């Protein structure tokens, strides 16, 4: 470097010391204390912000749990942040080994509220043979509309062991005052679509004829309260024998795993059947008209019937005669239309046969027509029992 350049550089350094360094304040004790107080205020403000944020989050969460109007709605998926072309690709994450002990992911959540189940089309297992209700792509109803599938009860639980909850529903196909019932399990598939897992149990024309309630317990068992006889038609529901039966999913269907498998005789029910021959009246020597009808009453039920009430709706001019009426506990001759004969106990499987004589007075015209012969079961208090198959309790005969 030349001497002239050296002198110029020295002059520049001298100018720097005179102008710039003169403006720089050397920090003394007061400046140090001011700096420390500033840092303390900044730390306090940051801490206060964090505490308020945590408190606000807790308060909102508490309100959401206790105020139904503040319960969170469906969460919209958060869009992924776009990746800049210049960004470096993320490092690959090591996949878990085959011996990893991490739990298996649960299946889709099949928990459905009553309103959700009523608002979605469903597919039901087929109803039993005969007049029924639609089963494919139908909506359940909240009331007993004729010809509709009525949602009567529901519960939730993990019934198939996949770690997720399913919905169990009691459904009735409403036909008149009754109709068949079944318990059905609904779930969701991987896409969230509502699907039918299967039927747990259904009513039959024999027994059970009614399903009263359902309950899903912790081990996945579906408990159903079944009844031997369906209420209605004069049969009160409290007369039905009730049992709790448990059912478990077996991988492709439900099977009963607990509870009784059959019903004993119902003390409030019976099953009588009656037949009778035509009443043909001939002319007796005194000019009156006499004839007989043979009545057979059979107890087709599993239990005995304490009393049987027999009624014969013959014309008023035709009155009980003498022969054949001795088994009656009352006086049939004193009864009005219909003629009534109160009979005693009839054991299960037993049959009684009566040949009953009738007479119409001299000069009375009887004519021709039909008459009903009706046999009804009664309990020990002389209350009528309901016959489970009452179509064969009445028979029509001709009289002439």
């Amino acid at each position: 470097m030349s001497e002239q350049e050296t002198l110029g550089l020295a002059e520049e350094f001298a100018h720097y010391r005179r102008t710039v360094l003169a403006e720089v304040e050397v920090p003394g004790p007061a400046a140090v204390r001011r700096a420390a107080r500033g840092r303390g205020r900044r730390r306090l403000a940051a801490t206060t912000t964090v505490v308020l944020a945590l408190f606000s989050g807790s308060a909102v969460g508490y309100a959401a749990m206790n105020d139904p109007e503040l319960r969170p709605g469906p969460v919209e998926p958060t869009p992924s942040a776009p990746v800049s072309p210049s960004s470096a690709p993320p490092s690959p994450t090591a996949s878990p080994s085959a011996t990893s002990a991490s739990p298996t992911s649960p299946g889709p959540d099949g928990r459905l509220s009553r309103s959700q189940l009523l608002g979605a089309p469903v597919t039901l297992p087929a109803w039993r043979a005969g007049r029924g209700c639609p089963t494919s792509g139908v909506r359940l109803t909240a009331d007993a509309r004729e010809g509709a599938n009525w949602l009567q009860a529901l519960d939730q639980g993990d019934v198939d062991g996949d770690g997720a909850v399913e919905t169990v529903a009691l459904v009735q196909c409403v036909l008149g005052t009754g109709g068949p019932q079944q318990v059905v399990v609904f779930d969701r598939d991987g896409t969230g679509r509502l699907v039918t897992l299967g039927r747990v149990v259904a009513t039959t024309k024999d027994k059970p004829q009614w399903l009263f309630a359902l309950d899903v317990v912790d081990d996945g068992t579906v408990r159903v309260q079944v009844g031997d006889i369906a209420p209605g038609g004069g049969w009160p529901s409290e007369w039905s024998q009730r049992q709790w039966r448990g059912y478990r999913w077996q991988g492709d269907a439900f099977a009963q795993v607990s509870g009784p498998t059959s019903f004993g005789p119902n003390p409030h029910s019976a099953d009588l059947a009656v037949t009778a021959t035509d009443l043909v009246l001939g002319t007796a020597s005194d000019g009156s008209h006499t004839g007989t009808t043979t009545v057979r009453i059979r107890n087709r039920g599993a239990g005995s019937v304490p009393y049987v009430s027999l009624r014969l709706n013959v014309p008023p001019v035709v009155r009980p005669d003498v022969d054949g009426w001795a088994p009656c506990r009352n006086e049939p001759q004193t009864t009005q239309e219909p003629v009534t004969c109160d009979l005693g106990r009839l054991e299960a499987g037993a049959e009684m046969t009566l040949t009953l004589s009738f007479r119409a007075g001299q000069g009375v015209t009887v004519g021709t027509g039909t008459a009903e012969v009706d046999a009804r079961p009664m309990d020990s208090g002389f209350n009528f029992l309901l016959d489970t198959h009452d179509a064969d309790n009445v028979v029509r005969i001709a009289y002439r």
Side-chain angles (χ1 to χ4, degrees), residues 110-145:
R111 185 189 300 272
L112 301 166
S113 67
R114 181 177 178 84
S115 59
Q116 287 174 323
L117 195 53
L118 290 172
V122 299
T123 297
L124 297 174
W127 294 105
R128 69 190 185 208
R131 187 165 67 99
C133 295
T135 58
S136 179
V138 297
R139 292 184 184 273
L140 305 180
T141 62
D143 53 12
R145 305 175 192 173

Side-chain angles (χ1 to χ4, degrees), residues 14-376:
H15 176 72
Y16 173 78
R17 285 191 297 271
R18 289 193 303 270
T19 58
V20 178
L21 295 182
E23 299 296 325
V24 177
E25 179 185 2
V26 178
V32 172
R33 285 192 295 270
R34 286 195 302 271
R37 284 195 298 270
R39 285 194 296 269
R41 284 192 296 270
R42 285 192 295 272
R43 284 196 300 270
L44 178 60
T47 303
T48 303
T49 302
V50 172
V51 171
L52 288 174
L54 291 175
F55 179 80
S56 300
S58 300
V60 172
Y62 181 82
M65 290 187 293
N66 289 274
D67 188 348
E69 299 299 327
L70 295 178
R71 291 176 182 171
V75 179
E76 296 294 333
T78 303
S80 302
V83 180
S84 171
S86 61
S87 300
S91 302
T93 303
S95 59
S97 64
T99 58
S100 173
S102 60
T104 305
S105 299
D109 185 11
R111 185 189 300 272
L112 301 166
S113 67
R114 181 177 178 84
S115 59
Q116 287 174 323
L117 195 53
L118 290 172
V122 299
T123 297
L124 297 174
W127 294 105
R128 69 190 185 208
R131 187 165 67 99
C133 295
T135 58
S136 179
V138 297
R139 292 184 184 273
L140 305 180
T141 62
D143 53 12
R145 305 175 192 173
E146 177 69 20
N149 295 302
W150 177 22
L151 176 60
Q152 295 182 303
L154 61 82
D155 199 2
Q156 291 91 15
D158 181 11
V159 303
D160 61 0
D162 66 349
V165 171
E166 289 78 42
T167 298
V168 186
L170 171 57
V171 182
Q172 180 186 5
C173 171
V174 181
L175 300 174
T177 58
Q181 299 169 290
Q182 58 179 324
V183 173
V184 184
V185 177
F186 297 102
D187 200 358
R188 293 191 186 276
D189 62 15
T191 65
R193 185 173 61 95
L194 184 62
V195 295
T196 303
L197 181 64
R199 175 168 54 208
V200 179
V201 65
T203 56
T204 67
K205 289 186 176 181
D206 186 18
K207 298 174 184 179
Q209 294 182 6
W210 201 252
L211 308 178
F212 287 98
L214 62 88
D215 177 38
V216 182
V217 297
D218 292 341
D219 65 355
T221 299
V222 181
R223 298 174 67 244
V224 182
Q225 189 183 46
V226 301
D228 59 344
I229 301 174
W235 179 268
S237 62
E238 58 268 21
W239 281 10
S240 294
Q241 296 183 110
R242 304 187 186 195
Q243 299 173 350
W244 281 101
R245 299 181 181 181
Y247 302 84
R248 291 292 299 272
W249 178 248
Q250 304 298 318
D252 57 355
F254 285 90
Q256 185 177 349
V257 295
S258 63
T261 58
S262 62
F263 291 96
N266 190 310
H268 300 287
S269 70
D271 185 10
L272 296 184
V274 63
T275 62
T277 61
D278 292 342
L279 175 60
V280 180
L281 300 173
T283 303
S285 58
D286 61 356
S288 63
H289 306 282
T290 62
T292 61
T293 179
T294 299
V295 179
R296 291 182 174 87
I297 305 170
R298 182 174 180 81
N299 183 356
R300 301 176 58 181
S304 62
V305 173
Y307 299 103
V308 176
S309 175
L310 176 63
R311 301 179 181 184
L312 302 99
N313 193 24
V314 294
V317 295
V318 178
R319 303 303 302 159
D321 205 1
V322 177
D323 296 336
W325 298 94
C328 302
R329 302 176 65 255
N330 64 326
E331 294 292 335
Q333 292 82 359
T334 64
T335 61
Q336 302 301 314
E337 187 179 7
V339 174
T340 302
C341 171
D342 294 333
L343 299 166
R345 178 177 296 273
L346 185 59
E347 300 295 338
E351 179 181 290
M352 63 174 62
T353 301
L354 306 172
T355 300
L356 305 175
S357 61
F358 287 89
R359 180 182 296 269
Q362 182 179 5
V364 173
T365 301
V366 177
T368 62
T370 60
E372 285 187 349
V373 178
D374 187 333
R376 298 289 171 176

